[in-house]
């Protein structure tokens, strides 16, 4: 499916602006963003005025808009990379595509620029197959199919909730790995899309992601904030935690999550060694999170995404709250997010 075949009225492209000058970023994406509606959300801690070129259908949101929506002067929920969640909140479209502002279109092995928006929408519109792994990966892609032995009763698949894209050049590694392998760059372009199996966890990255907002929207929750959170990806954990919640809720409700294509080219930002000098608790929190999600079972009474987020928050507070205050704060933020989502979308 090309960009011309997509119903552009069903798609919002959400960009979190951590840099004031978005002109280079938007100009490189213009061939693929043209005709789509853009939501640009300015980091509330960014002081400079945004520089946005002409030629885009764009709505811009800032700290003032956040405070009006929240009904308070506390916009911390949307600071840093979490500013993009405000775009998820106010969008009215079926699909959201979100790409970090330090990324540009990648090139495939033939040298053609990758249309990440179209590929993401393709992934979302085709079913996912979390119940039985297909060794030819996505059976709905052109030239692929279900392999011998794949149960015919499962070939209709399930709705796809999210599409998690990848990165060339600077992969989304953690700070210790990036510092240890400072010169390592990802040059491997794997032409594949696959569904993550049922009950398998994965560290979803917010750098290059798309999701069906109508299906799973409130599960994209800005919750787990860590002390000393910075403005480079390896100093944050919000997207990884959000992804673990998203995957668990998708499993519970019978949806699928895909990973693989599309790729973006990720440029350099930050210093991994400098980041390591900070007291960063992310790795320790992850080690506590994994067994929690492994054993978590949401009640059958949780039949909506909002129900699931609230039940998940309750379990987080009961089982992890005593381990670290970050988990208690995350649980409170999850409940607040569901209330905010309901309020904004019932009045829209």
């Amino acid at each position: 499916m090309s960009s011309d075949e997509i119903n552009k009225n069903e798609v919002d492209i959400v960009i979190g602006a951590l840099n004031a000058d978005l002109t280079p970023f938007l100009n490189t994406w213009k061939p693929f963003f043209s005709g789509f509606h853009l939501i640009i959300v300015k980091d509330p801690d960014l002081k400079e005025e945004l520089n946005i070129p002409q030629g885009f259908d764009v709505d811009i949101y800032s700290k003032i808009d956040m405070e009006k929506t929240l009904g308070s002067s506390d916009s911390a929920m949307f600071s840093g990379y979490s500013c993009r969640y405000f775009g998820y909140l106010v969008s009215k479209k079926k699909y959201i595509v979100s790409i970090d502002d330090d990324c540009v279109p990648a090139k495939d092995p033939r040298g053609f620029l990758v249309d990440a928006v179209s590929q993401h929408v393709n992934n979302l519109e085709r079913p996912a197959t979390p119940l039985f792994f297909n060794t030819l990966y996505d059976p709905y892609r052109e030239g692929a199919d279900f392999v011998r032995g794949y149960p015919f009763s499962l070939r209709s698949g399930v709705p796809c909730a999210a599409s998690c894209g990848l990165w060339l050049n600077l992969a989304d590694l953690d700070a210790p790995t990036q510092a240890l392998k400072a010169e390592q760059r990802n040059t491997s372009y794997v032409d594949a899309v696959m569904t993550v199996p049922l009950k398998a966890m994965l560290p979803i990255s917010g750098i290059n992601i798309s999701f069906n907002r109508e299906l799973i929207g409130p599960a994209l929750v800005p919750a787990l904030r860590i002390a000393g959170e910075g403005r480079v990806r390896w100093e944050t954990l919000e997207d990884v935690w959000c992804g673990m919640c998203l995957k668990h809720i998708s499993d519970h409700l019978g949806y699928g999550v895909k990973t693989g294509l599309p790729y973006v080219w990720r440029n350099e930002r930050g210093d991994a060694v400098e980041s390591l000098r900070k007291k960063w608790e992310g790795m320790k929190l992850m080690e506590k999170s994994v067994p929690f999600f492994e054993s978590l079972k949401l009640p059958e009474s949780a039949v909506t995404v909002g129900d699931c987020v609230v039940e998940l928050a309750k379990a987080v507070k009961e089982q992890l709250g005593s381990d670290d205050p970050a988990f208690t704060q995350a649980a409170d933020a999850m409940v607040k997010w569901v209330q905010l989502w309901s309020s904004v979308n019932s009045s829209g």
Side-chain angles (χ1 to χ4, degrees):
M1 181 187 296
S2 68
S3 176
D4 293 335
E5 299 173 286
I6 292 174
N7 182 352
K8 297 183 178 180
N9 292 322
E10 291 188 334
V11 181
D12 266 339
I13 298 172
V14 175
I15 307 299
L18 275 70
N19 294 304
D21 187 8
L22 293 179
T23 298
F25 168 78
L26 289 172
N27 283 339
T28 60
W29 283 103
K30 194 166 189 176
F32 307 118
F33 284 4
S34 291
F36 289 98
H37 178 247
L38 274 63
I39 294 176
I40 295 178
V41 186
K42 182 181 177 182
D43 176 4
D45 296 327
L46 184 64
K47 305 303 181 186
E48 300 90 344
E49 291 297 318
L50 295 184
N51 187 4
I52 297 172
Q54 298 294 315
F56 293 92
D57 175 16
V58 59
D59 284 322
I60 302 167
Y61 295 89
S62 66
K63 184 176 182 179
I64 295 174
D65 301 295
M66 296 172 189
E67 292 174 348
K68 286 180 181 177
T69 302
L70 290 168
S72 73
S73 59
D74 182 13
S75 59
M77 174 183 279
F78 300 114
S79 68
Y81 283 105
S82 292
C83 65
R84 65 200 173 100
Y85 291 90
F86 189 80
Y88 303 167
L89 180 69
V90 300
S91 170
K92 303 300 179 187
K93 302 294 180 65
K94 181 177 182 179
Y95 300 127
I96 298 288
V97 176
S98 187
I99 298 171
D100 277 6
D101 64 359
D102 58 355
C103 298
V104 298
K107 289 184 178 179
D108 67 19
R110 298 172 299 167
F112 294 108
L113 289 174
V114 174
D115 183 351
V117 178
S118 296
Q119 180 66 57
H120 271 309
V121 175
N122 282 345
N123 293 346
L124 293 173
E125 293 196 331
R126 293 168 176 162
T129 54
L131 302 177
F132 202 96
F133 188 79
N134 190 55
T135 50
L136 274 182
Y137 308 123
D138 187 350
Y140 306 103
R141 287 189 72 196
E142 185 176 350
D145 213 320
F146 293 97
V147 298
R148 180 171 55 89
Y150 200 102
F152 280 88
S153 60
L154 297 177
R155 294 191 181 194
S156 58
V158 302
C160 181
S163 166
C164 308
L166 298 173
W167 340 266
L168 293 177
N169 191 39
L170 193 65
D172 191 13
L173 306 178
D174 53 49
T177 305
Q178 189 64 59
L180 184 65
K181 302 179 178 181
E183 302 304 317
Q184 179 170 299
R185 297 295 180 268
N186 183 36
T187 59
S188 178
Y189 185 102
V190 180
D191 187 16
V193 178
M194 65 187 75
T195 299
V196 183
L198 180 71
K199 296 185 179 180
M201 291 178 283
L202 77 160
I204 291 178
S205 167
I207 294 172
N208 171 24
I209 190 172
S210 182
F211 61 95
N212 185 325
R213 187 181 181 277
E214 293 179 356
L215 203 65
I216 204 73
L220 278 288
V221 53
L224 189 63
R225 308 299 295 263
I226 52 181
E229 183 165 292
R231 294 298 188 270
V232 289
R233 277 291 182 188
W234 50 58
E235 292 179 2
T236 68
L237 203 61
E238 49 80 16
D239 55 341
V240 176
W241 174 264
C242 165
M244 295 179 79
C245 296
L246 165 67
K247 179 59 167 60
H248 196 88
I249 292 170
S250 296
D251 287 350
H252 175 76
L253 295 177
Y255 305 145
V257 173
K258 295 180 182 179
T259 186
L261 300 177
Y263 282 82
V264 296
W265 180 275
R266 187 171 176 233
N267 291 311
E268 313 292 321
R269 178 187 277 178
D271 184 328
V273 175
E274 187 63 32
S275 295
L276 279 176
R277 294 194 178 105
K278 299 182 179 180
K279 185 182 179 182
W280 194 70
E281 300 294 321
M283 289 174 285
K284 184 171 69 175
L285 294 178
M286 277 302 298
E287 296 303 322
K288 294 177 179 178
S289 300
V290 170
F292 166 76
F293 279 100
E294 282 181 329
S295 62
L296 178 65
K297 183 172 176 58
L298 294 174
E300 292 183 6
S301 59
V303 295
T304 69
V305 177
D307 292 342
C308 292
V309 175
V310 171
E311 290 293 336
L312 210 162
K314 186 190 303 182
V316 170
K317 182 169 285 190
E318 291 175 353
Q319 299 178 38
L320 295 174
S322 60
D323 287 341
D324 195 292
F327 288 122
T328 300
Q329 293 163 9
D332 291 341
M334 292 165 74
V335 174
K336 182 178 180 180
W337 175 250
V338 172
Q339 294 169 344
L340 190 59
W341 189 281
S342 177
S343 173
V344 169
N345 288 282
S346 64
S347 62

